[in-house]
Amino acid sequence: MTFTDLLVHVESGGVSDAALDVAAELARTHHARLTGLFAERASLGASVVGARSPERIAEATARARSRFEATAHPRRLETAWLERVCQDYGDLVDWAVQCCRYVDLAVFDKPAPESRAPADLAHQVAARAGRPVLVVPPQARGKPLGRRVLVGWTGSRGSARALHDALPLLEQAAHVTVLSLQLPAGDESRADFPSLDIAAHLRTHGVEARYERVIVGEVGMADHLLNRAADLDADLVVVGAATPHAFGRRSGDEAAVDLVRSATATVLLSA
């Protein structure tokens, strides 16, 4: 399997551009088209003082496109460009979600305090677009992606989507670990759950994965994944953007947000 059509969100400034670097390298490796997406609000804040003039907006757009082209062209990539300046948060998120539905994978920088994009934009896209999203931290810039992969597996819809959306990366990985996050033995909610083998399924795709099992109790799902990712020196964590509420007292959405906020590895989210 391979990716043929990728999208990367490009901001006008103040972020690491790690996503741009990772997306361009993925496009080169998979011989995929790469679309740059520029989407920002006309105002940088809630007040009138934060509003940007048309000239400033044009400059910001030009800067973003210049950085996109400077990264993509040396790799001889087929490219496309999308841009929109939105008046409010809802319009920006809706537009980004629509654009991401037309690609195989969308790539975003990890949210940063200085970012001009909504802090939850990548998670909104993952939850609503029906497409997988890579969230790239600054530490990942210039480093290989997908050599050592940790998959968070719960048997949920989200984790199944994430695992299968990640197959083009898993098939090229040197080491894949599936961490099965399970409920305490006393819980009867899965008493009749069938005996199925996710590692055996991955072998049908040519992926040899190490299977591990952990009971989710006092330590939440995000903490288990973060700790194991650090132990394995994983450069990619694959997880569903939403999982059942049974994992502790926090919702799957909150767990995914916690994971993205704290991870030093790139995270692939699907819902």
Side-chain angles (χ1 to χ4, degrees), residues 89-238:
Y89 166 86
D91 182 33
L92 191 157
V93 172
D94 289 345
W95 195 76
V97 166
Q98 288 295 329
C99 291
C100 291
R101 285 177 177 160
Y102 289 80
V103 297
D104 298 326
L105 177 72
V107 187
F108 289 78
D109 277 297
K110 180 179 177 177
E114 67 271 23
S115 173
R116 291 175 179 173
D120 64 344
L121 181 59
H123 190 267
Q124 287 282 348
V125 169
R128 294 173 50 192
R131 308 306 305 136
V133 170
L134 274 184
V135 184
V136 185
Q139 300 93 319
R141 184 170 189 177
K143 297 180 180 179
L145 174 70
R147 297 285 179 85
R148 305 181 68 87
V149 185
L150 176 64
V151 179
W153 178 254
T154 66
S156 68
R157 175 186 180 276
S159 62
R161 281 292 305 272
L163 181 142
H164 289 88
D165 285 340
L167 277 174
L169 298 170
L170 299 180
E171 290 170 351
Q172 297 181 2
H175 302 279
V176 177
T177 300
V178 176
L179 183 62
S180 178
L181 299 129
Q182 299 184 1
L183 297 170
D187 192 288
E188 302 300 326
S189 62
R190 292 194 175 188
D192 298 325
F193 201 73
S195 178
L196 301 171
D197 188 345
I198 191 61
H201 171 63
L202 284 174
R203 282 195 292 273
T204 69
H205 288 276
V207 178
E208 289 295 331
R210 174 187 175 92
Y211 179 85
E212 300 178 358
R213 176 174 172 267
V214 66
I215 302 301
V216 177
E218 292 299 321
V219 179
M221 181 182 73
D223 291 326
H224 278 296
L225 287 168
L226 289 167
N227 291 339
R228 196 67 187 112
D231 293 341
L232 296 169
D233 194 24
D235 54 48
L236 177 64
V237 179
V238 176

